[in-house]
Amino acid sequence: MSTASLTGAVVRPRPRRSGSTARIATAVVMTVVLLAYAALLVHPGLFTSTSPLFNGPEALVGPSAQHLFGTDQLGRDVYSRVIYGSQSVLAASLGGVLLASVAGVAIGIIGGTAPRVLSVVVMRVVDVLLALPVLLVALILIATLGAGVNSIILALGVAYTPGFARVVEASVRKLRSVEFMQAARLFGSSGARTAVRHLLPNLATEVVVMASSAVGWAVLTATTLSFLGLGVQLPEPDWGSDLAAGATSLSTAWWLSTFPGLAITVTILVANYSGDWVMTLTDPRGRQTRSRFRALGGLSTTLPAANAVAPGQPASLTSESFTGADAGATGQLPASAPPDTPGTATTPEEQA
Amino acid sequence: MGFVLRRLAASVPVIIGITVVAFVLIHMVPGDPAQAILFGSNATPQQIDDLRDQLGLSQPLWQQYLTFLGQLLHGDLGTSYVTHNSVASELLSRTPSTLQLTGAAMLIAIVIGVPLGLVAGIRPGSALDLVSRTISFIGVAIPYFFLALLLVLAFSLNLNWAPAIDDGSAAALVLPAVSLGWGYAAILTRLVRGRVIEEYRSDYVKSANARGCSERRVLLGHVFRNSSIPAVTMIGLQFGNILTGAAVTEVIFGRAGVGSFLATSITTKNIPVVQGAIVLIGIAYILINLIVDLAVGAIDPRTRLASAST
């Protein structure tokens, strides 16, 4: 921090609360919040005794003690609809991210270990999908599959898979050159055995961190799709479709759209925050690793400029999100590979 | 020059890939396109078969793809199932509206995001930093379609400052652009803030300070210049997201753009329009990324050298 004295007041590091009290408090709060979300997903009836489909006598009543979030045109309780509407949103986004992680790891391992012909073909397909905006990929899939929660899960899964696959592939390629992997090969360990016994455990941290920071984006995409009427169909409750349905009577009944909207916002906040939390938890050195999933972060691999950094120079932020990832797992590797390392994803020619 | 050509060559497989995705789409959708076109017209099976032949649907798949590609190169994207007009001309007539919205949203993101990130990064921990971090934290979390409704509620319905529904005026562009651009402004703020803090810690800034460069020169000549590279890259990366986000924003604000056209065409299974929109958005996205790469190359000579050496 000698810069501080040189630049005067320019650099003033924030005092960091590193005490264990703050850490424990965060852990407790996060656990409670995440448990509440788990309860919403599994058993929303815990939070309300009113059915989201029950048509009450009072239609279009503003928020009151009896109806916390008011009622809609058919006298249905908006609070109950927000509570029950969480199920489809959480199922779709968590399911989509889970699918994308599993598929991404599988494709990444194939891309990183398979014979050159196969891995090039696989990663080229990944590159093409990466070159398309996530929402567009999801829209294309839903155009073919039809609307519904299962379609959204599949669409999110496919749309987010390339991002995971690219990161996993880059890590696998780097892991392959580490001593224990070479030792495993020398001792005659089969490809599948190496993948399960050596690659997967070393990828686990990175994939968990990426998945946890992808959930927030998945919630946004899932609710966008149901907002467009491509998810859960009315009258079943869903944040996105309820928000869209309430938009038509925005001037007379603001509560119809506002509460589902707030629910989405809070959920994305919680998802982002817990993503950061998981990231610091899994990092043994307490330093933030950069392996988080970004909205279109995967696309940085299609941009040579983002990754092509002169050897010895610190990698740009977008490439750090892919190369700094396994530092936590292996401990010894440099944070970024020089761009001329054969076979890594950083060579511009390999990127479309 | 070699860098430009290499980047151009690298885009070709991706563009071909997009045309394949768009082509395969029509064969993945359940149902027969010929029946979809003649839907509701009481066509005889003979007429449907004739139309299938006419559309080339009875040819082998690879031949159909080549026909599709050939038509694409001539700017022919087929005819809409609904209006029976040329898809290309329908898309083109809606393109300016979408480009305006996307451009305005990007402008909002840059005009808000970059200064906010700079100010926060120069004095981390200050009150301004706290404000900027709060704005960006909420901005990242609030979905743009929700923000759009809140803005309409506040500024059109209550204050009556800007129209909620597109009437072709410039004022009608403000609310859609702000709601769409806000989230990206938040992302940009976080990015620029982080980079500025990091750059201030780097050795070359220390040496610039040691040489006696003024604070202003260090900030503009070194820190800002180097922080702008990931910012430019990020703006390019987000272009596709803004473009697809425009689809939703257009639906909310009743704007007749490519995005709302795509959204309605998906629900009505108007596949030629979906295909055309995918190709259009995909190619626009690749072109923007190309421009971003070249811009980054212009700002940062290292990237040109790095890609020339491989």
Side-chain angles (χ1 to χ4, degrees):
Chain A
M1 284 306 109
S2 56
T3 0
S5 52
L6 285 169
T7 55
V10 173
V11 177
R12 196 189 300 149
R14 269 164 55 82
R16 275 252 170 90
R17 274 188 306 164
S18 54
S20 55
T21 331
R23 268 213 309 277
I24 293 168
T26 314
V28 170
V29 172
M30 290 311 298
T31 311
V32 169
V33 171
L34 294 181
L35 276 179
Y37 270 97
L40 272 181
L41 178 65
V42 179
H43 188 70
L46 207 62
F47 296 90
T48 175
S49 52
T50 320
S51 158
L53 299 175
F54 173 70
N55 297 342
E58 297 169 300
L60 286 177
V61 185
S64 64
Q66 205 186 350
H67 299 287
L68 272 181
F69 294 171
T71 59
D72 66 4
Q73 289 91 339
L74 297 171
R76 294 176 301 202
D77 185 41
V78 175
Y79 171 72
S80 167
R81 287 188 71 79
V82 168
I83 292 293
Y84 277 92
S86 64
Q87 246 179 338
S88 52
V89 174
L90 295 177
S93 34
L94 292 177
V97 169
L98 192 69
L99 192 64
S101 330
V102 173
V105 167
I107 293 172
I109 289 181
I110 292 173
T113 57
R116 197 173 153 70
V117 183
L118 180 61
S119 65
V120 165
V121 169
V122 167
M123 293 323 282
R124 279 284 171 191
V125 173
V126 165
D127 279 343
V128 169
L129 283 176
L130 269 177
L132 291 170
V134 163
L135 188 58
L136 188 65
V137 175
L139 283 174
I140 293 169
L141 277 158
I142 291 193
T144 63
L145 297 169
V149 178
N150 291 337
S151 308
I152 292 193
I153 293 178
L154 201 61
L156 289 182
V158 173
Y160 286 120
T161 295
F164 281 90
R166 253 292 169 218
V167 179
V168 170
E169 188 241 19
S171 297
V172 168
R173 284 194 182 278
K174 242 186 285 170
L175 279 173
R176 281 176 68 188
S177 59
V178 182
E179 286 86 350
F180 69 84
M181 286 291 292
Q182 289 168 335
R185 208 178 314 152
L186 279 176
F187 282 115
S189 178
S190 71
R193 190 185 153 82
T194 315
V196 173
R197 288 293 300 271
H198 300 288
L199 280 179
L200 283 183
N202 277 293
L203 293 169
T205 318
E206 175 186 33
V207 172
V208 166
V209 168
M210 272 214 311
S212 59
S213 50
V215 171
W217 296 109
V219 171
L220 179 63
T221 313
T223 47
T224 306
L225 292 170
S226 62
F227 179 83
L228 289 173
L230 303 171
V232 169
Q233 301 297 311
L234 294 170
E236 290 299 320
D238 179 276
W239 293 345
S241 52
D242 278 4
L243 178 62
T248 46
S249 44
L250 199 60
S251 51
T252 50
W254 56 269
W255 55 90
L256 293 184
S257 289
T258 308
F259 290 109
L262 280 177
I264 301 170
T265 311
V266 169
T267 306
I268 295 175
L269 271 177
V270 168
N272 287 349
Y273 196 83
S274 50
D276 286 355
W277 182 59
V278 168
M279 196 153 56
T280 45
L281 270 191
T282 49
D283 191 347
R285 284 157 304 167
R287 196 179 59 87
Q288 287 203 339
T289 55
R290 264 62 173 261
S291 63
R292 57 183 309 180
F293 191 94
R294 289 167 201 286
L296 273 169
L299 278 166
S300 62
T301 49
T302 63
L303 291 175
N307 281 335
V309 178
Q313 290 289 336
S316 71
L317 188 132
T318 34
S319 70
E320 276 167 353
S321 64
F322 292 89
T323 50
D326 49 4
T330 56
Q332 298 294 318
L333 292 173
S336 64
D340 53 347
T341 310
T344 61
T346 40
T347 344
E349 269 69 21
E350 289 201 356
Q351 297 154 1
Chain B
M1 203 54 222
F3 174 61
V4 177
L5 286 179
R6 250 193 303 275
R7 275 301 285 127
L8 275 174
S11 329
V12 173
V14 183
I15 292 180
I16 292 175
I18 288 170
T19 60
V20 172
V21 169
F23 171 74
V24 169
L25 182 68
I26 200 164
H27 295 279
M28 291 197 303
V29 177
D32 182 7
Q35 276 176 336
I37 294 171
L38 296 173
F39 180 74
S41 62
N42 292 326
T44 61
Q46 178 60 41
Q47 281 173 308
I48 292 175
D49 279 349
D50 285 348
L51 188 67
R52 284 181 61 85
D53 284 340
Q54 199 188 324
L55 292 171
L57 289 170
S58 36
Q59 289 172 333
L61 218 53
W62 62 270
Q63 212 169 345
Q64 288 185 45
Y65 173 68
L66 288 184
T67 319
F68 173 72
L69 206 60
Q71 286 172 340
L72 201 67
L73 289 174
H74 291 97
D76 178 8
L77 293 168
T79 49
S80 162
Y81 288 172
V82 177
T83 59
H84 302 286
N85 290 331
S86 151
V87 171
S89 64
E90 290 207 351
L91 278 175
L92 277 182
S93 68
R94 287 170 168 85
T95 304
S97 165
T98 302
L99 285 183
Q100 273 172 10
L101 177 56
T102 311
M106 280 177 120
L107 197 69
I108 296 271
I110 295 166
V111 167
I112 295 175
V114 173
L116 216 55
L118 262 182
V119 168
I122 293 171
R123 304 230 188 289
S126 65
L128 263 173
D129 180 33
L130 193 70
V131 170
S132 104
R133 285 201 306 162
T134 312
I135 292 176
S136 67
F137 197 61
I138 298 170
V140 170
I142 191 164
Y144 49 90
F145 47 89
F146 180 43
L147 184 63
L149 292 184
L150 291 182
L151 289 175
V152 166
L153 190 61
F155 295 107
S156 320
L157 299 176
N158 286 334
L159 295 170
N160 213 4
W161 284 356
I165 297 295
D166 182 41
D167 54 7
S169 67
L173 193 61
V174 175
L175 291 188
V178 171
S179 58
L180 185 55
W182 193 259
Y184 300 100
I187 296 175
L188 214 53
T189 305
R190 286 176 109 171
L191 179 77
V192 171
R193 176 183 181 271
R195 290 305 295 183
V196 167
I197 292 175
E198 220 164 285
E199 295 296 336
Y200 264 123
R201 288 185 188 145
S202 61
D203 289 338
Y204 72 89
V205 169
K206 281 181 202 167
S207 74
N209 279 313
R211 283 203 313 271
C213 288
S214 69
E215 208 176 294
R216 185 193 163 86
R217 191 180 148 73
V218 170
L219 175 65
L220 294 178
H222 296 283
V223 173
F224 181 59
R225 187 177 163 125
N226 276 305
S227 308
S228 64
I229 298 163
V232 170
T233 310
M234 178 56 79
I235 292 164
L237 288 177
Q238 297 297 357
F239 179 81
N241 272 351
I242 301 185
L243 208 59
T244 46
V248 183
T249 317
E250 279 168 0
V251 173
I252 300 171
F253 289 93
R255 296 176 64 86
V258 176
S260 54
F261 195 33
L262 173 63
T264 47
S265 301
I266 287 177
T267 40
T268 56
K269 294 211 180 286
N270 195 347
I271 298 305
V273 174
V274 178
Q275 280 182 321
I278 291 166
V279 171
L280 190 71
I281 292 174
I283 288 176
Y285 183 59
I286 289 163
L287 284 181
I288 286 284
N289 273 350
L290 197 66
I291 295 168
V292 168
D293 266 14
L294 301 182
V296 170
I299 303 171
D300 186 357
R302 279 179 315 190
T303 54
R304 268 171 298 175
L305 291 173
S307 52
S309 67
T310 48

